[in-house]
Amino acid sequence: MDSLTFLLSGTVLAATPLLIAALGELLVEKSGVLNLSIEGMMALAAATGFIVVTLTGNHWLALLAGAVAAMLLSVVFATVVLIALGNQVAAGIAVGILGLGLSGLIGSPYEGMTVAPMARTPLPFLSDIPVIGPGLFNHPLIIYLAPLAAALLWWMFRSTKLGLVIRAVGESPESAHAVGYDVVRVRFLAVLVGGFMAGIAGAFISVVSSTLWSDGMIAGRGWIVIALVVFAMWRVERVVLGACLFGMAAIAELLVQSMGISAPSQLLTSIPYIATIIAITLLSMDGRRIRLNAPVSLGRVYAGSQ
């Protein structure tokens, strides 16, 4: 395979789960809730999706099952932080650890097993373009739906009443409540949708891009997703760009190996995380921009309507 084709194809595969999960996390944070349990949700979804595709052979059912499993875990998180008014940071870490533990528990009988890859859906004409076509337009259908989801979320925040309500709840929950909106309900639903999307991303990794189950296979992607939302400054278009950049960094190991360059595997494996640290560090040098773009009530407990 041509190196450029390999780079494009690998970037798309690596970026898609990051993009899907980051869009969900962006929605959650826009509503004013900080969800740090993404890693556990993705892990639980990956295990659930792999079990379902192993038993049924249906990849779409596996993606749905993984999404539902993560959404159920998000119910636990939402209940703790929105109903019981628990600390969002502590609750997020705890629920994330719970998800990791459950994924290891239910996935242990399937350790090391593989499944058939999801069927590809080449886009007519576009997939025939030399070099670029096979890299960008010859993938499973779910991959093409990710940028459509990004476009839909961008439009929702920009042009719909629903988007305005979510943003208002995230900026000033007291004001949103004063004009008649149920802040807790809006945030609860946002957390559920965010969990559902994190679940699709997690199941994608085990049944579409990797087609195997191994405990710990999420390998920090959930934390990269959280960093990606900050890197994007809570803007949808920058989430798409950031997902592509981080996706490219994630396949750097395979790209370097394919070019015959000798380098320590540990260093190559750490490239995505090094890139994440560098990106956040550079961004943090201008803390004022982060404060101006972050939802004002992000991470704050709200009890006004209790």
Side-chain angles (χ1 to χ4, degrees):
M1 180 183 292
D2 182 87
S3 294
L4 180 56
T5 301
F6 176 84
L7 175 63
L8 293 174
S9 180
T11 298
V12 168
L13 279 173
T16 296
L18 297 178
L19 175 59
I20 295 173
L23 291 174
E25 178 65 9
L26 175 63
L27 175 65
V28 175
E29 294 193 14
K30 279 286 193 179
S31 74
V33 179
L34 177 62
N35 182 8
L36 298 182
S37 60
I38 299 296
E39 180 84 2
M41 291 181 181
M42 291 178 68
L44 179 60
T48 303
F50 188 84
I51 293 171
V52 171
V53 77
T54 300
L55 297 178
T56 67
N58 190 318
H59 291 79
W60 288 103
L61 184 60
L63 291 170
L64 177 61
V68 171
M71 185 174 68
L72 292 176
L73 192 60
S74 74
V75 171
V76 177
F77 171 73
T79 300
V80 172
V81 301
L82 298 176
I83 306 301
L85 304 182
N87 180 276
Q88 294 181 13
V89 173
I93 293 174
V95 172
I97 293 173
L98 174 62
L100 290 170
L102 289 175
S103 69
L105 176 65
I106 67 175
S108 58
Y110 300 87
E111 187 74 27
M113 293 179 60
T114 60
V115 294
M118 192 175 191
R120 298 189 178 193
T121 306
L123 296 183
F125 306 111
L126 294 176
S127 61
D128 296 327
I129 300 174
V131 183
I132 297 177
L136 296 180
F137 307 112
N138 186 25
H139 296 283
L141 180 60
I142 181 67
I143 287 180
Y144 309 131
L145 299 180
L148 293 179
L152 178 62
L153 193 64
W154 177 85
W155 171 77
M156 185 189 78
F157 281 134
R158 183 181 178 87
S159 306
T160 70
K161 180 181 179 180
L162 175 60
L164 179 61
V165 170
I166 293 173
R167 290 164 53 197
V169 166
E171 294 295 331
S172 178
E174 293 81 8
S175 299
H177 176 64
V179 297
Y181 294 111
D182 189 328
V183 173
V184 173
R185 178 178 297 180
V186 171
R187 289 184 169 182
F188 205 104
L189 292 175
V191 171
L192 262 60
V193 174
F196 188 88
M197 296 184 70
I200 294 177
F204 179 97
I205 292 171
S206 64
V207 306
V208 179
S209 60
S210 298
T211 65
L212 62 84
W213 168 250
S214 175
D215 191 22
M217 68 182 305
I218 299 302
R221 288 181 179 89
W223 297 107
I224 291 179
V225 164
I226 295 170
L228 175 56
V229 174
V230 179
F231 170 79
M233 292 188 176
W234 296 272
R235 292 169 55 184
V236 175
E237 63 273 18
R238 290 189 56 151
V239 168
V240 176
L241 174 61
C244 293
L245 294 176
F246 284 110
M248 188 179 300
I251 67 159
E253 177 183 3
L254 297 177
L255 181 63
V256 170
Q257 291 176 350
S258 70
M259 297 172 64
I261 300 175
S262 177
S265 60
Q266 295 85 353
L267 176 61
L268 296 176
T269 303
S270 66
I271 287 178
Y273 311 103
I274 294 174
T276 302
I277 293 172
I278 293 175
I280 296 300
T281 300
L282 293 176
L283 184 63
S284 299
M285 290 179 179
D286 189 358
R288 181 172 175 271
R289 291 184 65 190
I290 295 180
R291 289 192 297 272
L292 288 175
N293 286 276
V296 175
S297 66
L298 181 62
R300 299 179 185 173
V301 174
Y302 171 74
S305 60
Q306 299 296 307

